[in-house]
Amino acid sequence: VVDWIADYLAHPERYPVLSQNQPGDLKAALPFSAPERGEAMEAMLADLDRVIVPGVTHWNHPGFFAYFATSGSAPGILGEMLSAAFNVNAMLWRTSPSATELEEVTLDWLRQLIGLPDTFGGVIYDTASISSLCAIAAAREAAGVDVRQQGLATSGAKLRMYASEHVHSSVDRSAITLGIGQAGLRKIWCDDEYRMDPRALAIAIDEDRANGWQPFCVVATTGTTSATSIDPVPEIADICDRERLWLHVDAAYGGSAAVIPEMRWVLDGCDRADSLVINPHKGLFVPLDLSVLYCRRMDVLRGAFSLVPEYLRSGEGDEVKNFMDYGPQLGRRFRALKLWFVMRYFGIEGLRDRIRNQIALAREFADWVDQSEHFERLAPVPFGLVCFRAHPLSIKEEAARSLEENPKLPHWSRDVEYVENYLDILNERLLEEVNRRGKVFLSHTKLKGKFTLRLAIGNIRTTRDHVKLAWDELNEVLGIANRE
């Protein structure tokens, strides 16, 4: 198996990056029930190649530009293997002292690396969805509502939290899960660069207080999913200080860039946050799943979750940290080991060089878009993501000619709507065909109602050649579509 993994990682480009399977293909290729007797490992590996691999979308492929890459580096994979071999449950300090203390050490290394002060403690969860869920639960605890005993229904509190229009959907899920409800999450208007407007936030808080709501939490984002926009955290922190609201920063994607000294500005104001999430499995080449929540009020986070039955009581007391007290999970994997391996193997310098290179590649791709007569960029490029769309010169000329011939706004508005609908259809078909070819894999979003292509550079194996291949594929497919 180890040899198979090594060979797979050495040649990921032999496979189409996006699985070409149809729904039900894998299920049809496997027996209806488990084997009565054990089978040889050789047979299992043969089926891995025959059945499993064709149904895998290869996130480790250097042509994977969809979503945000979660590339598993070799040292991270080895750390994961060792974690599985140890098979410890890191719920208490005594159930594996190394797991608990290594988590504390590696998270302190990472905290220093991204420039957070030592007032922040840290805890590892699986994903940013759970990190944000726990942070918002701590915010609810800090609001003084006795949810632990009474529940939200009995308390009668109408809790309200705030986030930008472009906040990750996991924040909506957290509101649903924690009983805040979607009605309790108010989305705040964003500016032309998709950043939360602090003035709109302040007005919303005043309105809600006047209408009987109890504001308790604001979620700011450093690196939104659609466009990697950066909310103005310093101004939002001012409002939270004044209104005594918990400030949680979702830096799951953008936070990793702060390991580069010249990119430290992306976390400006985050030292004033109550909590912040960063995902090493996104930007620091750690295999899924490893998300880190930093919190300035670890006592409040503990108060939201700690519940110790008699059979888990230990004699160490406050001398040690029992990480089971800081989240909904009792069982915890030894995740810190793979983060430790990655940080040791690459070192600070190696991590910085790789992230710098990815940002540089994204900016070069953005330059190609800006210089093209057939594409246009739809958002700034602070990190490794480029948001753009095909907008062929012929369409631009046709639109300009239509404006000249029809200067009256109502008529022109109908023309604009027609052009935008055409462009949406064109870009959707462009994305579908590029992905179908299997050399690269891109995703999409909608910005200001426009169907937008996303090219996200984050895979440790991606080079300039792979980025250029994506650009060539886009241009080739667009050229074919225009000729048709």
Side-chain angles (χ1 to χ4, degrees), residues 103 107 121-138 248 275-281 286-295 298 301-302 304-305 323-336 338:
E103 186 162 336
L107 295 194
V123 56
I124 293 176
Y125 301 114
D126 52 1
T127 61
S129 297
I130 299 302
S131 291
S132 290
L133 174 76
C134 293
I136 295 167
H248 174 59
S275 56
L276 175 145
V277 56
I278 178 174
N279 277 3
H281 71 222
V286 177
L288 271 171
D289 46 12
L290 195 154
S291 177
V292 177
L293 179 69
Y294 286 108
C295 186
M298 292 292 283
L301 180 63
R302 188 177 186 276
F305 291 105
F323 276 114
M324 71 171 190
D325 290 335
Y326 296 87
Q329 292 177 297
L330 179 61
R332 304 180 74 254
R333 295 199 296 117
F334 192 177
R335 289 187 175 92
K338 57 185 174 182

Side-chain angles (χ1 to χ4, degrees), residues 39-181:
E39 299 184 52
M41 182 61 72
E42 289 79 7
M44 293 161 61
L45 286 175
D47 279 350
L48 185 73
D49 286 319
R50 180 181 65 87
V51 179
I52 303 301
V53 171
V56 171
T57 290
H58 298 277
W59 289 65
N60 274 334
H61 195 294
F64 188 102
F65 298 112
Y67 314 114
F68 288 133
T70 55
S71 55
S73 63
I77 292 169
L78 295 173
E80 187 82 83
M81 292 170 66
L82 288 169
S83 175
F86 288 135
N87 195 37
V88 303
N89 185 341
M91 55 185 181
L92 300 168
W93 176 87
R94 67 164 48 185
T95 58
S96 192
S98 288
T100 296
E101 295 187 22
L102 188 66
E103 186 162 336
E104 293 178 290
V105 169
T106 53
L107 295 194
D108 198 55
W109 285 3
L110 181 58
R111 176 194 61 76
Q112 296 172 51
L113 196 51
I114 63 175
L116 286 180
D118 60 10
T119 50
F120 283 83
V123 56
I124 293 176
Y125 301 114
D126 52 1
T127 61
S129 297
I130 299 302
S131 291
S132 290
L133 174 76
C134 293
I136 295 167
R140 188 183 62 179
E141 179 78 8
V145 180
D146 189 13
V147 176
R148 284 187 63 114
Q149 293 296 324
Q150 304 299 326
L152 275 178
T154 304
S155 73
K158 289 177 61 180
L159 294 179
R160 181 80 99 176
M161 55 187 287
Y162 306 87
S164 88
E165 296 172 315
H166 291 275
V167 72
H168 192 272
S169 60
S170 63
V171 174
D172 297 71
R173 289 173 180 261
S174 294
I176 295 168
T177 304
L178 294 170
I180 310 302

Side-chain angles (χ1 to χ4, degrees), residues 102-421:
L102 188 66
E103 186 162 336
E104 293 178 290
V105 169
T106 53
L107 295 194
D108 198 55
W109 285 3
L110 181 58
R111 176 194 61 76
Q112 296 172 51
L113 196 51
I114 63 175
L116 286 180
D118 60 10
T119 50
F120 283 83
V123 56
I124 293 176
Y125 301 114
D126 52 1
T127 61
S129 297
I130 299 302
S131 291
S132 290
L133 174 76
C134 293
I136 295 167
R140 188 183 62 179
E141 179 78 8
V145 180
D146 189 13
V147 176
R148 284 187 63 114
Q149 293 296 324
Q150 304 299 326
L152 275 178
T154 304
S155 73
K158 289 177 61 180
L159 294 179
R160 181 80 99 176
M161 55 187 287
Y162 306 87
S164 88
E165 296 172 315
H166 291 275
V167 72
H168 192 272
S169 60
S170 63
V171 174
D172 297 71
R173 289 173 180 261
S174 294
I176 295 168
T177 304
L178 294 170
I180 310 302
Q182 288 182 292
L185 172 59
R186 183 164 178 175
K187 301 289 181 71
I188 304 301
W189 181 83
C190 293
D191 64 16
D192 288 342
E193 293 188 1
Y194 315 106
R195 302 171 299 189
M196 187 194 299
D197 184 343
R199 293 168 299 178
L201 172 64
I203 291 170
I205 292 169
D206 288 342
E207 287 177 352
D208 286 343
R209 288 198 193 279
N211 291 318
W213 290 93
Q214 181 181 341
F216 78 105
C217 177
V218 178
V219 179
T221 307
T222 295
T224 58
T225 302
S226 282
T228 64
S229 53
I230 302 168
D231 288 338
V233 175
E235 291 90 337
I236 295 171
D238 288 341
I239 295 171
C240 290
D241 286 346
R242 183 175 70 244
E243 300 290 342
R244 298 188 175 183
L245 306 181
W246 184 286
L247 174 57
H248 174 59
V249 177
D250 179 357
Y253 173 72
S256 297
V259 306
I260 308 172
E262 63 269 26
M263 290 292 290
R264 190 69 58 80
W265 60 270
V266 303
L267 294 185
D268 282 352
C270 290
D271 58 320
R272 299 167 60 194
D274 296 283
S275 56
L276 175 145
V277 56
I278 178 174
N279 277 3
H281 71 222
K282 278 195 174 76
L284 296 176
F285 319 119
V286 177
L288 271 171
D289 46 12
L290 195 154
S291 177
V292 177
L293 179 69
Y294 286 108
C295 186
R296 276 198 301 128
R297 304 168 69 181
M298 292 292 283
D299 58 325
V300 178
L301 180 63
R302 188 177 186 276
F305 291 105
S306 182
L307 184 68
V308 185
E310 186 60 37
Y311 53 82
L312 290 178
R313 295 191 183 278
S314 59
E316 293 86 10
D318 293 335
E319 294 179 39
V320 299
K321 183 174 287 184
N322 295 318
F323 276 114
M324 71 171 190
D325 290 335
Y326 296 87
Q329 292 177 297
L330 179 61
R332 304 180 74 254
R333 295 199 296 117
F334 192 177
R335 289 187 175 92
L337 194 59
K338 57 185 174 182
L339 177 59
W340 187 56
F341 263 47
V342 168
M343 296 181 80
R344 291 279 305 274
Y345 184 85
F346 293 115
I348 295 173
E349 182 180 292
L351 292 173
R352 285 173 174 166
D353 287 347
R354 285 163 175 80
I355 296 172
R356 277 193 187 102
N357 180 60
Q358 291 176 346
I359 294 173
L361 287 175
R363 289 176 180 167
E364 185 173 13
F365 185 91
D367 287 342
W368 297 340
V369 171
D370 291 341
Q371 294 164 17
S372 173
E373 296 180 335
H374 306 296
F375 290 88
E376 64 178 353
R377 186 161 52 87
L378 299 179
V381 185
F383 302 110
L385 174 72
V386 184
C387 293
F388 65 105
R389 68 172 178 173
H391 194 159
L393 179 61
S394 58
I395 302 299
K396 297 177 186 177
E397 291 173 343
E398 182 182 328
R401 195 163 48 247
S402 181
L403 175 60
E404 188 177 330
E405 294 170 358
N406 303 285
K408 293 183 180 180
L409 186 60
H411 193 173
W412 171 235
S413 294
R414 288 194 295 274
D415 291 336
V416 168
E417 184 177 343
Y418 171 79
V419 170
E420 288 300 329
N421 287 340

